[in-house]
Amino acid sequence: MADCSLPHDSLFLGFDTSTQSLKATILDSNLSIVETELINFDSNLPHYKTKDGVYRDTTVNGRIVSPTLMWVEAFDMMLLKLSRKIDFGKVAAVSGSAQQHGSVYWKNGSSVILSSLDPKKQLVEQLREAFSIKESPIWMDSSTTEQCMKIEEAVGGALELSRLTGSRAHERYTGPQIRRIFETQPEVYKNTERISLVSSFMASLLVGGYSCIDETDGAGMNLLDIKQKSWSKKALDATAPDLEEKLGKPAPAYAVAGLIAPYFVERFHFSSNCLVIQWSGDNPNSLAGLTLNSPGDLAISLGTSDTVFGITDKPQPSLEGHAFPSPVDTKGHMVMLCYKNGSLTREDIRNQYAEKSWDVFNKYLQQTPPLNDGKLGFYYKEHESLPPLPAGFHRYILQNFMGDSLDGVVDQEVNEFDAASEVRAIIEGQILSMRAHVERFGMPFPPRRLIVTGGASSNECILESIASIFGCDVYTVERPDSASSGAALRAAHGWVCNAKGSFIPFECIYKDRLEKTSFTSKLSAKAGDPTVVTKYALMMKKRMEIEKRLVEKLGRW
C-alpha cells in the first residue's frame, strides 16, 4: 500500500454545519483529536430568532428554511474561537460536512464579492446582499409534493428516477426545491447566478469563489446521474431551464476545491498553502468518520430518526432508500435508509409498558425469547417514510411458527401484547425492517463490519438483538461528532491524494494505526447463534409480506 504519512506537526480541520449548530474538530498528524468547538445557532446567534436552527413558515404548509447569513456569521464566530486555541498556520488541509439537501442561491454578480473579500471586515458584513433568496430551503422542508410528482412523471416514473439519480423524488431533495422556486418565484430564479448546496456554499467561502458540488452530496438532489457522476440532462430538463450552468460541474469528494483564500491567510493567519478539500454531506462524512470504506461495511445510527448506511458495489434501484457515489472511493456506492420512528417511538413503548424505565425495558428484553414466540409489531408514532405508512401501531401473532418453515404459518392481528412482548416486538420489528431493506437494497449480507452509533448504542440489550438478527459482531464508538471528525479525516485523505497526484485508498490514512487514533471502535456484542439468525430470516420474510399488505391498504405517496 502507498505511503500515506502526513506532515509532522500538521493539523487537519473539519467542520460540520448541521441544522442546529456549527461544529469543528481538529486532528493532528497522528489522527488524534486535539480540539473541538461548537456554535449553537439558537443560543449563540439569538438575533436570528430561529428555533432549533430553522424558521417554520406558518403561511406555506410544510415550508421550513434557515437564514443563510446565520451560517456565515457562525463561521466568523467559529474561526475567531478556534484562533484562540490553535495555530491556523499549521493547518495543512480543511474540509467540511453539512446538512444534506439544503440549498443556497447566489445573486448575479456575487462571484465578484467572493473573490474580493476585505480581511479587515467580517464575512457577514460583506455577504449581506449576495443572495437572491435570503432563507435557504433545508432537509426538513416538505412543501414540494407537487413538484416531486411532476419530476417523477417527466422522467418516466419514480423507479426510473431512482435508477438514474439514486432516489425517487423526495420533498426535501434539492431538485424539487429548485423547481418550486422556478415555478413560484421566476424572477428570483432568473436573478440567481449559482446554486450551491450548504456543503459547497461553505467551501465557496473558504476558497473565495464558487466551489463545485461534490458527487456524493450532489446525489441528494434528484439531479445527478449516479453512474456517470455527472448531471443528468433528463433530470435537469424535468426541474428548471438553464440549470446546469447554475450548478457548475460536480467534483469527486476527495478533490481539492482550491487553496484557502487570501482573506483567511491575512485575517486568521492560515498558511497560503492550506488546501480546501471538497465539502460533502453529513451522512457521507459520518460514513468516513466511522471508517467504513469497503462493500459490506454497515452502520446503524439509533437516534430521533434511525439511519442505516453502508457501502455496496451494486445498489438496487429502490423507492425506499438512497444511493450516492461513495465519498471515500472512486468506485462503489454509499446506500442509506432513513426511518422517522426511532428513539422517540422506543421511548413511547418504554413509557407505556416498561414503567418509563430503561432498566425495566431491558429486563423485559432479557426475559423474552428471541423471535418473541411469533409476535410481530409495527410501531409508528409519527407517519413513517420507510415504509410509507401513517401513524399507528399494528400487532400480529404468527400462528404455527416454529422458525424452520413458513408452510402453514398464518398471521392474526391483535390489539395488544403483554408488556414484555411489546418491548421485544418493537426492538425486533425495527431491526428486522433494517435487515430486510438492507438486503433488498443490494448490500452484502451478513455485513462485513457493523458499527452502531447514536444514543441507544449504549444499550447492551439492544446491541445483542442487532447481533442476533444481523448474524454478525457489533461494534460501537465512543467518539462523538462523527460528521465533523469524518470531515477532518477526509481533509487528511484529500491532502495525501493531492500529494501523490492520484486517488489513494481511504483506509491507507489510518491502516495499521487505527488503535492509536481517535477512530477506534470496540466490540460490544458477539454474533448471534446461526440457527437463530436463520429463523429470523424467515420471520423477516413474513414481516415483509405483512408490510406489503399494510402499504397497499394504508400507504400514501
Side-chain angles (χ1 to χ4, degrees):
M1 187 168 282
D3 176 20
C4 295
S5 57
L6 300 169
H8 179 68
D9 203 31
S10 59
L11 299 175
F12 298 90
L13 176 54
F15 294 100
D16 176 36
T17 307
S18 68
T19 312
Q20 300 184 48
S21 64
L22 174 64
K23 304 182 187 80
T25 298
I26 298 96
L27 302 178
D28 63 18
S29 54
N30 294 316
L31 302 184
S32 294
I33 295 175
V34 296
E35 198 62 71
T36 61
E37 190 56 82
L38 172 73
I39 303 291
N40 180 276
F41 298 143
D42 288 2
S43 58
N44 294 118
L45 298 164
H47 47 285
Y48 287 97
K49 299 180 180 179
T50 56
K51 180 172 179 12
D52 301 323
V54 306
Y55 297 145
R56 291 172 172 82
D57 193 335
T58 57
T59 64
V60 179
N61 186 38
R63 182 173 180 267
I64 300 179
V65 296
S66 290
T68 308
L69 270 178
M70 179 180 71
W71 297 329
V72 178
E73 189 168 352
F75 201 47
D76 277 324
M77 187 179 292
M78 174 63 79
L79 290 170
L80 184 60
K81 277 192 168 190
L82 289 176
S83 69
R84 297 167 181 157
K85 293 185 170 186
I86 65 169
D87 178 0
F88 280 135
K90 293 183 177 181
V91 176
V94 54
S95 189
S97 156
Q99 56 171 294
Q100 291 193 261
H101 319 303
S103 46
V104 175
Y105 299 79
W106 296 92
K107 185 187 297 183
N108 289 333
S110 292
S111 59
V112 176
I113 300 174
L114 263 179
S115 63
S116 55
L117 294 170
D118 183 350
K120 296 183 178 62
K121 299 178 182 178
Q122 290 187 326
L123 290 170
V124 69
E125 295 178 51
Q126 302 178 73
L127 294 172
R128 290 191 187 278
E129 303 303 321
F131 311 110
S132 53
I133 297 177
K134 297 186 183 300
E135 296 170 348
S136 293
I138 65 163
W139 67 273
M140 297 170 70
D141 188 283
S142 59
S143 64
T144 60
T145 303
E146 180 182 344
Q147 286 75 27
C148 287
M149 297 174 72
K150 289 178 179 177
I151 288 171
E152 287 186 348
E153 182 181 359
V155 301
L159 195 61
E160 174 61 17
L161 186 64
S162 174
R163 184 197 65 75
L164 187 62
T165 70
S167 302
R168 70 172 304 170
H170 288 276
E171 292 165 325
R172 66 187 183 275
Y173 269 43
T174 321
Q177 295 289 343
I178 293 171
R179 177 163 177 153
R180 186 175 187 278
I181 288 170
F182 169 69
E183 290 179 343
T184 61
Q185 299 172 277
E187 287 304 313
V188 166
Y189 182 79
K190 183 179 179 180
N191 194 35
T192 296
E193 179 174 84
R194 183 74 166 225
I195 300 173
S196 297
L197 295 181
V198 182
S199 56
S200 61
F201 164 66
M202 299 298 289
S204 297
L205 300 181
L206 281 168
V207 300
Y210 295 142
S211 175
C212 296
I213 292 172
D214 93 283
E215 294 165 352
T216 305
D217 210 9
M221 301 173 75
N222 285 138
L223 294 173
L224 188 87
D225 183 324
I226 62 168
K227 291 182 179 178
Q228 300 300 322
K229 299 181 183 179
S230 59
W231 302 121
S232 162
K233 185 178 187 306
K234 183 185 288 189
L236 292 173
D237 290 346
T239 303
D242 306 316
L243 182 53
E244 185 168 10
E245 62 188 58
K246 296 180 188 290
L247 297 175
K249 291 185 177 181
Y254 64 87
V256 175
L259 292 171
I260 200 163
Y263 173 88
F264 299 96
V265 175
E266 296 183 41
R267 186 172 178 84
F268 294 104
H269 309 296
F270 278 87
S271 165
S272 59
N273 294 319
C274 176
L275 300 179
V276 179
I277 306 303
Q278 293 290 158
W279 286 44
S280 192
D282 49 5
N283 290 300
N285 276 280
S286 289
L287 182 140
L290 294 172
T291 68
L292 307 183
N293 59 73
S294 300
D297 284 354
L298 188 70
I300 297 175
S301 177
L302 300 172
T304 303
S305 61
D306 289 341
T307 307
V308 185
F309 53 89
I311 295 177
T312 182
D313 51 6
K314 295 179 180 179
Q316 302 298 315
S318 169
L319 299 183
E320 303 152 344
H322 316 282
F324 313 92
S326 172
V328 296
D329 200 352
T330 55
K331 300 175 290 184
H333 290 80
M334 172 183 174
V335 294
M336 184 169 69
L337 305 169
C338 298
Y339 294 87
K340 289 187 176 181
N341 287 269
S343 63
L344 297 182
T345 307
R346 288 187 288 274
E347 289 172 14
D348 190 62
I349 294 299
R350 179 203 64 181
N351 294 342
Q352 287 189 56
Y353 299 100
E355 303 173 20
K356 300 183 179 181
S357 165
W358 286 118
D359 288 338
V360 175
F361 187 97
N362 289 339
K363 182 182 73 173
Y364 285 161
L365 267 180
Q366 292 168 329
Q367 286 178 353
T368 48
L371 302 144
N372 206 15
D373 293 324
K375 299 183 182 75
L376 267 176
F378 297 75
Y379 297 87
Y380 306 126
K381 182 178 172 63
E382 307 289 342
H383 71 267
E384 183 54 78
S385 56
L386 181 57
L389 287 171
F393 291 0
H394 310 278
R395 301 171 178 87
Y396 298 85
I397 295 178
L398 305 185
Q399 297 178 336
N400 307 318
F401 180 66
M402 304 299 293
D404 53 1
S405 171
L406 290 180
D407 292 341
V409 175
V410 295
D411 56 86
Q412 178 184 0
E413 188 165 7
V414 297
N415 292 327
E416 196 169 31
F417 300 142
D418 63 274
S421 295
E422 292 281 4
V423 167
R424 179 163 285 277
I426 186 172
I427 295 302
E428 288 190 340
Q430 289 180 329
I431 302 167
L432 282 169
S433 178
M434 292 175 186
R435 175 178 166 178
H437 290 285
V438 160
E439 291 191 46
R440 279 171 53 155
F441 213 165
M443 284 290 293
F445 193 87
R448 186 183 79 101
R449 185 163 54 119
L450 175 57
I451 297 177
V452 180
T453 68
S457 66
S458 61
N459 188 313
E460 292 182 5
C461 293
I462 293 178
L463 296 179
E464 288 170 2
S465 292
I466 294 173
S468 292
I469 291 173
F470 274 83
C472 63
D473 294 345
V474 170
Y475 293 82
T476 57
V477 294
E478 297 180 0
R479 177 188 68 260
D481 301 329
S482 58
S484 61
S485 59
L489 189 61
R490 286 185 51 252
H493 177 243
W495 187 93
V496 170
C497 291
N498 182 71
K500 299 298 180 184
S502 62
F503 176 81
I504 300 297
F506 188 71
E507 64 178 336
C508 176
I509 298 297
Y510 48 79
K511 189 175 176 61
D512 299 327
R513 55 178 176 178
L514 194 59
E515 298 301 320
K516 300 177 183 178
T517 74
S518 299
F519 296 87
T520 306
S521 56
K522 67 175 184 177
L523 177 63
S524 295
K526 293 290 291 181
D529 181 339
T531 302
V532 176
V533 174
T534 301
K535 291 181 177 180
Y536 271 126
L538 283 171
M539 177 174 266
M540 177 186 73
K541 182 178 179 181
K542 188 62 181 178
R543 178 186 172 86
M544 295 305 288
E545 290 177 9
I546 299 172
E547 178 183 297
K548 182 180 179 182
R549 293 205 316 258
L550 284 171
V551 171
E552 289 172 350
K553 180 180 178 181
L554 304 171
R556 57 181 174 77
W557 183 89

